Amino acid sequence: MAEAAMRETALREAEEACLRRGATLTPLRRQVLDLVLQAEAPVGAYALLDRLKASRPGAAPPTVYRALDFLLEHGLIHKLERLNAYIGCADAGQGHAHDHHHPHQFLICRRCGATAEITDHGVAHAIEAAARRAGFTLAEATVEIEGTCAR
């Protein structure tokens, strides 16, 4: 399937997921999600703003941050804290609850910046067990692993 068709499918699934939750993927939110999905690597808010201004000249930082907050809240994207950047959720539209309670880990290449989302339930269970042993109630966990990709 071509990249544009895959993005369109992801956007349609995102709209459907939002509707199931009683939320609306407005045209602006849809456009910001599309920009995140188009990015070849995790993308920062100001880079998104620059791209958004091509079609919405009056766009300002709060415009982008509100859209990103919505997309994060609905599990359609993830924020990589290490990079202060956003990436589309690989599982969005795949039946999970879209609330980020699905296990996810990120492999971040130090050389080229390529980032891959993986879902390893063993890692998630190990973190949860370690937290329990420490008397800690885990709400969510994102693991960001840096290294070098195969390329």
Side-chain angles (χ1 to χ4, degrees), residues 39-94:
E40 294 181 13
V43 61
Y46 279 90
L48 288 169
L49 178 61
D50 289 343
R51 294 173 190 167
L52 187 62
K53 282 184 176 182
S55 62
R56 296 177 185 257
T63 306
V64 171
Y65 281 112
R66 280 192 297 270
L68 290 170
D69 287 344
F70 175 90
L71 298 172
L72 284 166
E73 177 184 340
H74 290 278
L76 301 171
I77 62 172
H78 295 289
K79 182 176 183 185
L80 297 172
E81 296 297 333
R82 155 83 176 70
L83 303 174
N84 194 24
Y86 302 86
I87 189 170
C89 176
D91 290 336
Q94 301 301 313

Side-chain angles (χ1 to χ4, degrees), residues 1-17 25-27 29-39 76 92-94:
M1 186 182 292
E3 184 179 324
M6 288 176 21
R7 270 196 346 269
E8 192 54 43
T9 298
L11 291 168
R12 188 179 62 255
E13 289 173 351
E15 286 174 331
E16 292 168 2
L25 189 66
T26 63
R29 293 169 178 165
R30 187 182 201 283
Q31 186 176 8
V32 171
L33 177 57
D34 191 35
L35 290 171
V36 171
L37 296 175
Q38 284 177 40
L76 301 171
Q94 301 301 313

Side-chain angles (χ1 to χ4, degrees), residues 108-130:
I108 304 168
C109 181
R110 286 183 170 172
R111 288 193 180 158
C112 71
T115 302
E117 178 180 354
I118 61 172
T119 300
D120 187 317
H121 293 280
V123 171
H125 293 306
I127 291 170
E128 188 175 353

